[in-house]
């Protein structure tokens, strides 16, 4: 089963241009706040209407501007899990779940089945305010599953939870997502959530979607500057080709050794803090940096460095892999060519 989205939507000065295909499994929509993630979900669900484009699920057209097709939300078979779960506050958990069934004759038996499947027996007679965050999420998910959706739409489902609840709730949601047979769309600005829950990911930047890729490729081989930022890369420089054929990282002031291959449309280079290397002295792809500050975390140590051109760099290690006990005021830093990310603007 596949969800195909190719839409445009303008809201004031903001322009959404989202185009991607999601198959069985979970596809993450990853982007910063205001990038159009939730708006994309609302267009799929029928809460918002695109200005142009096409949406279909398993060959069934939900929206097509040219063909004048625009199914109402109740006919789209999309299950939308809102950030705050949107449970009916005066209904018990059992009645909230029952409200999700289109066929009222099936509600009794179906509600009992879902209560058992999501381990909600102790919650059935309680109101939402009497439930924990994890229990509320399970009730909301059960109500969605009661409608037999073809697609699950998950809009930052952990944002309303306290930090100590998120891990438990995430594990439960992952278990239920693995049993769902159709495509799921998971909206988040948190790359760690996407890494743990999603099979593939589509990056949204300023309302424009980038090609869908595997989660592994996003973290190991991001293609664009924005994708690299969202994947957690900390160090970036513009990139210029010199007359002698070598490449210069303009912001860092580093000239790469001859023989480096860069695609013509790559104008930036990036490297993760943990992939910079401590070096004993000068050499190819190395520079002498000044230590500005040491930032110690629970499991990691990050050095804030400045290059000879006054650009800032971050260099980091896990605590149990520190190369030395103390750090000098100046140190040679190596930029391993095999770890450099050569990036397109968009």
């Amino acid at each position: 089963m596949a969800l195909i989205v190719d839409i445009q939507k303008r809201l004031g000065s903001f322009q959404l241009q989202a185009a991607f295909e999601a198959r069985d499994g979970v596809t993450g929509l990853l982007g910063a706040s205001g990038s159009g993630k939730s708006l994309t979900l609302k267009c799929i669900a029928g809460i918002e209407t695109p200005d142009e484009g096409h949406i279909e699920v398993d060959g069934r057209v939900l929206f097509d501007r040219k063909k004048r097709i625009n199914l109402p939300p109740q006919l789209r078979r999309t299950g939308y899990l809102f950030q705050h779960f949107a449970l009916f506050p005066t209904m018990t958990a059992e009645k909230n779940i029952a409200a999700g069934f289109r066929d009222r004759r099936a509600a009794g038996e179906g509600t009992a089945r879902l209560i058992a499947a999501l381990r909600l027996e102790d919650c059935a007679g309680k109101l939402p305010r009497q439930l924990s965050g994890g229990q509320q999420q399970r009730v909301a998910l059960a109500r969605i599953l009661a409608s037999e959706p073809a697609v699950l739409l998950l809009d930052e489902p952990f944002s309303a939870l306290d930090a100590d609840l998120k891990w438990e709730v995430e594990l439960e949601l992952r278990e239920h997502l693995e049993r769902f047979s159709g495509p799921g769309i998971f909206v988040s600005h948190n790359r760690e959530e996407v890494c743990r829950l999603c099979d593939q990911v589509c990056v949204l930047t300023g309302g424009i979607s980038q090609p869908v890729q595997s989660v592994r490729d996003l973290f190991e081989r991001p293609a664009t500057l924005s994708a690299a930022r969202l994947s957690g890369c900390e160090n970036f420089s513009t990139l210029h080709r010199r007359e002698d054929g070598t490449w210069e990282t303009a912001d860092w002031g580093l000239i790469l050794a001859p023989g480096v291959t860069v695609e013509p449309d790559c104008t930036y280079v990036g490297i993760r803090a943990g992939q910079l290397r401590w070096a004993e002295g000068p050499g190819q792809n190395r520079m002498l940096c000044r230590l500005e500050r040491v930032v110690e975390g629970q499991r990691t140590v990050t050095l804030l460095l400045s290059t000879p051109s006054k650009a800032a760099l971050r260099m980091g290690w896990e605590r149990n892999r520190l190369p030395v006990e103390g750090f000098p005021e100046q140190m040679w830093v190596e930029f391993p060519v095999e770890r450099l990310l050569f990036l397109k603007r968009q």
Side-chain angles (χ1 to χ4, degrees), residues 32-329:
S33 297
S35 61
K37 306 182 302 295
S38 294
L39 179 58
T40 300
L41 284 200
K42 290 176 181 177
C43 288
I44 296 170
I47 299 170
E48 293 280 354
T49 301
D51 299 325
E52 301 291 341
H54 179 92
I55 303 171
E56 68 175 70
V57 178
D58 200 24
R60 180 171 175 259
V61 178
L62 308 184
F63 173 83
D64 191 295
R65 172 61 71 187
K66 292 181 179 179
K67 296 179 180 178
R68 298 184 179 181
I69 297 173
N70 187 19
L71 296 185
Q74 61 270 26
L75 296 181
R76 294 196 176 202
R77 292 189 59 205
T78 57
Y80 200 131
L81 185 61
F82 293 90
Q83 292 181 13
H84 298 279
F85 310 138
L87 297 175
F88 299 117
T90 60
M91 289 186 180
T92 64
E94 182 177 16
K95 290 183 178 179
N96 263 284
I97 296 169
F101 285 89
R102 293 187 177 89
D103 183 354
R104 297 304 177 195
R105 294 170 297 180
E109 182 179 342
T111 299
R113 174 176 51 80
L114 287 168
I115 286 174
L118 278 81
R119 302 188 300 277
L120 289 166
E121 291 88 348
D122 295 338
C123 306
K126 296 180 180 179
L127 296 173
R129 67 174 181 272
Q130 298 171 308
L131 304 176
S132 69
Q135 291 168 335
Q136 288 183 42
Q137 187 197 62
R138 276 185 280 157
V139 172
L141 185 58
R143 186 176 65 185
I144 288 170
L145 295 176
S147 66
E148 298 182 341
V151 178
L152 281 180
L153 306 175
L154 311 171
D155 192 357
E156 300 202 55
F158 310 129
S159 64
L161 302 178
D162 295 333
D164 58 344
L165 282 175
K166 285 186 178 182
W167 181 250
E168 175 187 352
V169 174
E170 183 182 313
L171 289 177
E172 289 186 357
L173 181 59
R174 181 174 184 174
E175 179 183 334
H176 299 308
L177 289 175
E178 288 174 350
R179 294 202 295 262
F180 184 67
S181 60
I185 305 296
F186 179 81
V187 159
S188 181
H189 62 270
N190 186 312
R191 59 181 172 269
E192 297 299 329
E193 291 176 358
V194 169
C195 185
R196 292 190 294 264
L197 288 168
C198 299
D199 304 296
Q200 57 183 11
V201 60
C202 175
V203 170
L204 275 173
T205 305
I208 300 174
S209 65
Q210 298 181 24
V212 174
Q213 60 186 137
S214 71
V215 171
R216 180 175 181 177
D217 281 348
L218 172 68
F219 287 93
E220 293 185 1
R221 292 180 292 275
T224 66
L225 179 64
S226 56
R229 289 187 189 280
L230 288 167
S231 74
C233 187
E234 302 94 338
N235 301 307
F236 298 96
S237 171
T238 52
L239 186 66
H240 298 300
R241 186 177 180 88
R242 291 157 45 92
E243 291 183 0
D244 62 3
T246 59
W247 292 89
E248 179 180 6
T249 62
D251 299 283
W252 301 333
L254 176 71
I255 298 173
L256 299 179
V260 175
T261 301
V262 180
E263 295 295 327
D265 53 352
C266 291
T267 55
Y268 290 86
V269 60
I271 190 167
R272 301 184 191 281
Q275 293 176 338
L276 289 168
R277 293 177 184 167
W278 175 287
E280 294 294 337
Q284 288 189 334
N285 305 320
R286 296 179 181 181
M287 66 167 55
L288 186 62
C289 295
R290 179 180 179 82
L291 176 63
E292 301 293 344
R293 186 178 174 187
V294 178
V295 180
E296 299 192 20
Q298 184 177 4
R299 297 184 179 88
T300 61
V301 173
T302 301
L303 305 186
L304 304 184
L305 307 173
S306 59
T307 70
S309 62
K310 306 302 181 182
L313 283 177
R314 293 186 186 183
M315 185 177 186
W317 295 272
E318 295 179 5
R319 274 190 172 276
N320 59 355
R321 295 183 178 180
L322 291 177
V324 292
E325 291 187 6
F327 297 100
E329 291 186 3

